[in-house]
Amino acid sequence: MKKITSLIIFLFSISCFSQSVIEFIDSESKLPICGIYSTIYKNEDTFENCGGSNNKGFFKIRIKELDYQSKYYLQFNDNVNYKPIWKELNPNKKDTLRIYLERSRFFYDTSKEVLKSICGTYSFFGYTPREPTSLQDLPKFIQKNTIEYLKKRVGNSEFENFELIGGQIIDLKEFKKIKPKSNQKTAYYLCFSYRNIDAGISNYTSKIELDENGNIIKDIDFPIVEANSIQEKIVPLKLIIEKAQKRNFYKKEKTQFKMSYYASDNILVWKLVNETYNSDNTYLKEDLIFNAHNGNFIKLKSNKGQWVE
């Protein structure tokens, strides 16, 4: 009976993850951070679990079958306010793991109306890509090609306002072992954030795609900036809001702010979006669109439809 009890205790101990609670703390204010969404990986490329921190900054890890022959990692890079992390977890430690997140240079703690956006990621069923946290996570030649491309496209001065905040790295050889019929060409999805506080842009995000040799497959969603062109200037969001107010379109704390790239015109546009959901299950979405470089009105786009509960 004693041997059976000991065996049960042993099996229970190897099935539980000792370092199971993580506390996220702002490194400057020393206060807990709510809503930090992080991911747990096994051996860098296998998804284990994910979740967000509660209002006290805690995130509880759950791993179904702990494998002591494997390594487990915590990844966070979904919030441009803080620098991303990639940290190995220790299954033998029993204390709460405290993570002090450092504020990035894009941190903007204000109640002012500014644009904020994030890059989405792709799902590769059966394969979990590594997500870079900085340019240093990339091979040297990918770093070089990416930097040269960005400087050529946006200019040296505007380049300083860009920062890699995430993305996905695909090992095409490993990926094609899992998906032999795949014609996947992109090896690097790189999410860059552009910041221009004077223009009301806390962060505008878009991706560059490269193949495994460092060739550009998809351009960044940002204009080609040449000297003495309108692309050198961005009309501040506050002035666009004033234009929307004159049209009785702007609704404080309801109107959404978005930015898009029109490749055919090589311009960014400001979009102010209102969505109305009616009691009869109909909705109306309206986009008020302005040229972001000269402030000229482009169009009012309306979309009506029905929604199902």
Side-chain angles (χ1 to χ4, degrees):
M1 183 67 180
K2 185 177 180 181
K3 290 183 178 179
I4 294 174
T5 303
S6 299
L7 178 60
I8 292 172
I9 293 173
F10 174 73
L11 290 175
F12 179 79
S13 67
I14 64 172
S15 65
C16 295
F17 196 76
S18 298
Q19 199 171 56
S20 60
V21 179
I22 297 173
E23 182 181 12
F24 291 102
I25 302 170
D26 184 295
S27 61
E28 290 190 24
S29 69
K30 302 299 186 292
L31 295 174
I33 314 171
C34 176
I36 294 298
Y37 190 87
S38 56
T39 305
I40 306 300
Y41 287 91
K42 176 182 176 181
N43 292 335
E44 299 193 15
D45 59 3
T46 303
F47 172 84
E48 274 290 339
N49 206 345
C50 61
S53 59
N54 62 22
N55 58 4
K56 294 184 179 180
F58 290 106
F59 166 52
K60 189 170 184 179
I61 302 171
R62 286 182 171 84
I63 294 177
K64 292 181 179 179
E65 296 181 5
L66 180 61
D67 179 5
Y68 277 89
Q69 302 302 313
S70 300
K71 291 184 177 182
Y72 293 88
Y73 298 88
L74 170 75
Q75 182 187 54
F76 160 73
N77 67 347
D78 291 326
N79 185 328
V80 295
N81 269 345
Y82 294 97
K83 294 181 180 179
I85 59 171
W86 175 268
K87 182 177 179 62
E88 184 176 353
L89 300 174
N90 187 347
N92 297 311
K93 294 190 70 175
K94 295 179 172 60
D95 59 334
T96 296
L97 174 63
R98 288 183 175 83
I99 301 290
Y100 289 88
L101 293 180
E102 295 182 37
R103 296 180 181 185
S104 75
R105 66 189 183 97
F106 283 81
F107 187 90
Y108 195 60
D109 186 12
T110 179
S111 60
K112 292 182 179 179
E113 293 161 312
V114 293
L115 174 75
K116 295 180 180 179
S117 65
I118 60 173
C119 278
T121 56
Y122 296 104
S123 295
F124 300 92
F125 299 102
Y127 178 84
T128 304
R130 171 75 188 275
E131 298 185 18
T133 59
S134 70
L135 283 169
Q136 284 64 47
D137 290 340
L138 306 173
K140 294 292 185 183
F141 74 100
I142 297 296
Q143 293 182 43
K144 179 176 179 292
N145 288 10
T146 302
I147 291 171
E148 288 179 352
Y149 163 79
L150 264 180
K151 285 184 175 181
K152 183 177 180 181
R153 186 173 180 91
V154 306
N156 289 331
S157 59
E158 202 69 280
F159 170 77
E160 296 301 321
N161 294 318
F162 283 84
E163 185 165 312
L164 179 69
I165 62 168
Q168 294 170 291
I169 301 174
I170 313 294
D171 184 329
L172 293 181
K173 290 181 181 178
E174 290 298 318
F175 182 75
K176 288 181 180 179
K177 288 179 183 178
I178 299 171
K179 306 284 185 181
K181 295 183 180 180
S182 170
N183 61 353
Q184 175 77 22
K185 296 291 190 297
T186 300
Y188 301 91
Y189 297 92
L190 304 181
C191 176
F192 280 86
S193 177
Y194 168 74
R195 186 185 192 191
N196 185 335
I197 292 300
D198 290 338
I201 301 173
S202 175
N203 66 290
Y204 164 69
T205 54
S206 54
K207 291 179 183 175
I208 302 171
E209 295 183 17
L210 302 90
D211 64 18
E212 59 187 345
N213 297 315
N215 299 308
I216 304 297
I217 295 178
K218 176 190 172 298
D219 287 311
I220 195 169
D221 293 331
F222 199 89
I224 299 169
V225 181
E226 297 178 345
N228 302 315
S229 66
I230 66 167
Q231 286 80 7
E232 287 186 312
K233 177 184 177 182
I234 294 182
V235 175
L237 176 59
K238 63 181 180 180
L239 297 182
I240 299 299
I241 290 175
E242 290 176 5
K243 291 175 179 286
Q245 287 173 329
K246 291 178 180 178
R247 293 172 174 267
N248 295 318
F249 185 88
Y250 177 70
K251 300 175 183 178
K252 190 173 179 63
E253 296 183 358
K254 180 180 178 181
T255 300
Q256 303 173 54
F257 311 125
K258 297 184 179 180
M259 179 167 270
S260 297
Y261 173 58
Y262 283 10
S264 58
D265 299 315
N266 190 40
I267 61 170
L268 291 171
V269 298
W270 279 115
K271 290 184 180 181
L272 273 62
V273 183
N274 285 334
E275 293 180 328
T276 304
Y277 293 87
N278 304 309
S279 57
D280 61 353
N281 285 20
T282 61
Y283 70 85
L284 172 64
K285 179 184 177 185
E286 296 179 297
D287 294 2
L288 188 63
I289 304 173
F290 295 90
N291 185 316
H293 306 289
N294 57 22
N296 290 344
F297 170 75
I298 295 179
K299 64 180 176 179
L300 174 63
K301 180 180 177 183
S302 297
N303 182 26
K304 298 180 180 180
Q306 288 186 313
W307 55 278
V308 180
E309 290 183 340

